[in-house]
Amino acid sequence: MGNTGDKLRWLRQQRGWSQAQVAKMLHVGRTTYLKYESGELNPASKIKKLSEMYGVTSDFLLELPSADELRESASEYAPPILDKLLEQPQIRFEKHLYTLSDDDREKMRMALRLALWDAKKR
């Protein structure tokens, strides 16, 4: 559907709201909201509020894949070496040795998959 600004514009128009109305709900000026829709400003600090207002996920607004999408495409976006790396009981990074829990490993897998997904998308 396009970038974050395009999605914000489309969602606002679907509800019949003006830019001024949305700006007031976000406690920002209309010009600031206009810049969110045009892509001049990133509405990062307002993403939670915007996603609640429009009833969509922040991932949808930010163009991020869902966890399910990342899992489904794991073999496409994550090389086998990734799993081999994360099977190790400890990982050395910038002169520090880290012991990883299963939860830590899963977070690292998801972060790396997201980075690879984003790189492929570009």
Side-chain angles (χ1 to χ4, degrees):
M1 167 181 280
N3 63 29
T4 301
D6 292 337
K7 290 176 184 179
L8 292 175
R9 183 178 308 104
W10 181 81
L11 289 164
R12 177 181 56 76
Q13 290 171 343
Q14 292 299 304
R15 284 154 181 78
W17 295 341
S18 70
Q19 289 176 334
Q21 288 172 303
V22 175
K24 187 175 182 177
M25 289 185 267
L26 292 174
H27 306 287
V28 298
R30 191 190 69 75
T31 303
T32 298
Y33 184 76
L34 172 70
K35 289 180 180 182
Y36 292 163
E37 285 191 4
S38 71
E40 288 180 59
L41 280 179
N42 183 337
S45 65
K46 300 293 184 180
I47 289 295
K48 184 175 186 221
K49 178 73 174 169
L50 285 161
S51 64
E52 289 170 356
M53 282 173 36
Y54 290 126
V56 297
T57 65
S58 55
D59 286 354
F60 172 79
L61 291 176
L62 296 171
E63 304 179 73
L64 300 176
S66 68
D68 289 338
E69 288 174 314
L70 284 173
R71 281 188 197 98
E72 288 172 9
S73 60
S75 61
E76 182 180 352
Y77 297 122
I81 191 97
L82 172 63
D83 286 325
K84 193 169 195 160
L85 169 72
L86 293 175
E87 286 172 5
Q88 298 177 41
Q90 296 179 321
I91 291 180
R92 182 171 302 281
F93 182 72
E94 293 184 347
K95 299 181 184 179
H96 298 284
L97 189 61
Y98 296 92
T99 301
L100 303 175
S101 68
D102 290 341
D103 190 46
D104 294 332
R105 284 184 181 83
E106 184 58 24
K107 287 177 186 174
M108 289 180 74
R109 268 189 197 91
M110 295 302 285
L112 290 168
R113 287 177 183 158
L114 176 59
L116 292 167
W117 177 84
D118 189 50
K120 184 174 182 171
K121 185 178 166 190
R122 282 183 269 128

